[in-house]
Amino acid sequence: MNAMTQDNLRSAFGGESMAHMRYRIWGEKAEKEGFPTVARLFKCTADAEEVHATLHFEALRDINGDFPVTSMAGFGLTNTSENLQGAIDGETFEFTQMYPAYIAVAEMQGEKSAVRAMKYAIEAEKVHAELFTKAKEAVDGGKDLEVKTMLLCPICGYISLTGEEDNCPLCNAKKELFISY
Amino acid sequence: MNAMTQDNLRSAFGGESMAHMRYRIWGEKAEKEGFPTVARLFKCTADAEEVHATLHFEALRDINGDFPVTSMAGFGLTNTSENLQGAIDGETFEFTQMYPAYIAVAEMQGEKSAVRAMKYAIEAEKVHAELFTKAKEAVDGGKDLEVKTMLLCPICGYISLTGEEDNCPLCNAKKELFISY
Ligand SMILES: [Fe+2]
Ligand SMILES: [Fe+2]
Ligand SMILES: [Fe+2]
Ligand SMILES: [Fe+2]
Ligand SMILES: [Fe+2]
Ligand SMILES: [Fe+2]
């Protein structure tokens, strides 16, 4: 694999790994503040980021060794409204800046497995940003998010809050594979 | 918090988050290769790294925003023997190089919460390296790791394969808190 795409995939792996961890921590905080469904959304999205991190790690499977990895990451642990804003900002950075740049390089270099892993991720991040925006509107209105269904596609990281899809709208995986939160 | 200690804690958070993710992936691989107890050790240690990542994130709780984070991280997904060598190398880097350097800076800067978080981590990493070394000896002899007990201290990330301790030897947490794998 070309060096620039390798570097970008490692950076994306670092960003996804830190997002996974941050959402688990922010989920605990939402639980403590009395927003159990927002907590559930954070934990479901944490697992979606694990799907992305794993896709990137697998695309890099043949390149062994230790590397310095630089990634953007959000920090801070104040309250759930601010944590949701941090999540929206992080997802938006990923789908408007990071992944478009990395995908352009991977396409230019003809790195098909990298393109595939990152195209799954970019589409899922758009959905994550929408769902966190809904969650923030609820929390800023003093309420928990009001949804019953919460389903994760374990192939691409898509999240459904309706369950109305037949197959995954992003990767076409069968709905029977979806994991309920 | 002083800027250098902030940076070092963010770097340690990145390293722990990527180690958590890598060990989960390497655990799946060990499972597939017929080493269920090595898989269990990878998953238990993944959760120990989540303890460390969370300690560092909480020490940084008042510093909000997005930052570029640079951390060393291991890559590659060939076979369990090589993955265990990667784990030993990563843990050894952390307890011989990364944490000693970061702790020296935090002590010099009088950053008590950072020193505390990183001292828990460095002592646990020594134990992780020992256990991965045992696991590699077993796998290289064609066998799975032979242990029944596997306990994680959720306060500091210490792992016990005997259960003979009264309290956690690293952080003194009560043994009743230990999580069994
Ligand atoms: Fe992601
Ligand atoms: Fe996301
Ligand atoms: Fe999908
Ligand atoms: Fe650690
Ligand atoms: Fe460790
Ligand atoms: Fe402990």
Side-chain angles (χ1 to χ4, degrees):
Chain A
M1 186 183 289
N2 280 289
M4 286 305 295
T5 292
Q6 276 189 42
D7 253 15
N8 291 343
L9 269 182
R10 283 190 287 265
S11 171
F13 170 77
E16 297 286 357
S17 298
M18 286 190 274
H20 167 84
M21 195 60 74
R22 185 164 63 241
Y23 291 167
R24 286 182 59 82
I25 296 166
W26 286 347
E28 287 295 306
K29 181 74 175 172
E31 193 79 53
K32 276 185 200 144
E33 288 189 354
F35 301 110
T37 307
V38 174
R40 216 155 37 105
L41 180 63
F42 269 127
K43 293 194 179 181
C44 176
T45 315
D47 290 350
E49 311 311 0
E50 177 165 3
V51 169
H52 298 160
T54 303
L55 286 170
H56 302 341
F57 197 87
E58 286 176 347
L60 288 162
R61 61 188 307 135
D62 297 327
I63 303 142
N64 281 282
D66 296 317
F67 297 86
V69 177
T70 301
S71 322
M72 286 299 290
F75 290 85
L77 185 52
T78 46
N79 60 58
T80 297
S81 174
E82 283 204 38
N83 297 343
L84 284 165
Q85 188 59 55
I88 295 163
D89 293 347
E91 299 285 349
T92 303
F93 169 76
E94 287 184 358
F95 79 75
T96 62
Q97 296 290 328
M98 183 185 86
Y99 280 124
Y102 290 176
I103 289 169
V105 173
E107 284 179 336
M108 182 271 290
Q109 295 195 324
E111 298 290 1
K112 286 184 187 163
S113 66
V115 170
R116 186 170 166 278
M118 294 195 287
K119 283 206 168 166
Y120 275 2
I122 193 173
E123 294 306 321
E125 313 308 7
K126 290 178 195 169
V127 177
H128 299 172
E130 275 172 34
L131 303 183
F132 283 134
T133 301
K134 268 192 198 170
K136 184 165 158 58
E137 283 165 14
V139 166
D140 288 348
K143 288 184 294 189
D144 195 10
L145 188 61
E146 278 180 29
V147 296
K148 279 177 191 157
T149 305
M150 192 177 293
L151 299 169
L152 171 65
C153 173
I155 309 300
C156 76
Y158 173 75
I159 296 170
S160 168
L161 299 187
T162 65
E164 283 166 1
E165 306 83 357
D166 283 328
N167 291 329
C168 177
L170 305 188
C171 77
N172 212 33
K174 292 226 170 101
K175 198 178 160 180
E176 297 87 80
L177 291 173
F178 283 15
I179 299 160
S180 181
Y181 283 77
Chain B
M1 186 183 290
N2 280 288
M4 286 304 297
T5 292
Q6 274 189 44
D7 253 15
N8 290 343
L9 268 182
R10 283 190 288 264
S11 171
F13 170 77
E16 297 286 358
S17 298
M18 286 189 274
H20 167 85
M21 195 60 74
R22 187 163 63 241
Y23 291 168
R24 287 182 59 81
I25 297 167
W26 286 348
E28 287 295 305
K29 181 74 174 171
E31 193 81 51
K32 277 185 200 145
E33 288 190 352
F35 302 110
T37 307
V38 174
R40 218 155 35 104
L41 180 64
F42 270 128
K43 293 194 178 179
C44 176
T45 315
D47 290 351
E49 310 312 358
E50 177 164 2
V51 170
H52 298 160
T54 303
L55 286 171
H56 301 342
F57 197 87
E58 286 176 348
L60 289 162
R61 61 187 309 135
D62 297 327
I63 304 142
N64 281 282
D66 296 319
F67 297 86
V69 177
T70 302
S71 321
M72 285 300 289
F75 289 85
L77 184 53
T78 47
N79 60 60
T80 297
S81 174
E82 282 204 39
N83 297 342
L84 284 165
Q85 188 60 54
I88 295 163
D89 293 346
E91 299 285 350
T92 303
F93 169 75
E94 286 185 358
F95 79 76
T96 61
Q97 296 289 329
M98 184 185 86
Y99 280 124
Y102 290 177
I103 290 168
V105 173
E107 283 178 336
M108 182 272 289
Q109 295 194 323
E111 298 290 2
K112 286 183 187 164
S113 66
V115 170
R116 187 169 166 278
M118 294 195 287
K119 284 206 167 167
Y120 274 2
I122 193 173
E123 294 305 322
E125 313 309 7
K126 290 178 195 169
V127 177
H128 299 171
E130 273 172 37
L131 304 182
F132 284 133
T133 301
K134 267 192 200 171
K136 184 165 159 55
E137 282 165 13
V139 166
D140 287 347
K143 289 184 295 190
D144 194 11
L145 189 61
E146 279 180 29
V147 296
K148 280 178 192 156
T149 306
M150 193 178 293
L151 299 169
L152 171 65
C153 173
I155 309 300
C156 76
Y158 173 75
I159 296 169
S160 169
L161 298 187
T162 65
E164 284 167 1
E165 306 83 358
D166 283 329
N167 291 330
C168 177
L170 304 188
C171 78
N172 212 32
K174 292 224 170 101
K175 197 178 161 181
E176 296 89 80
L177 292 173
F178 282 17
I179 299 161
S180 182
Y181 283 78

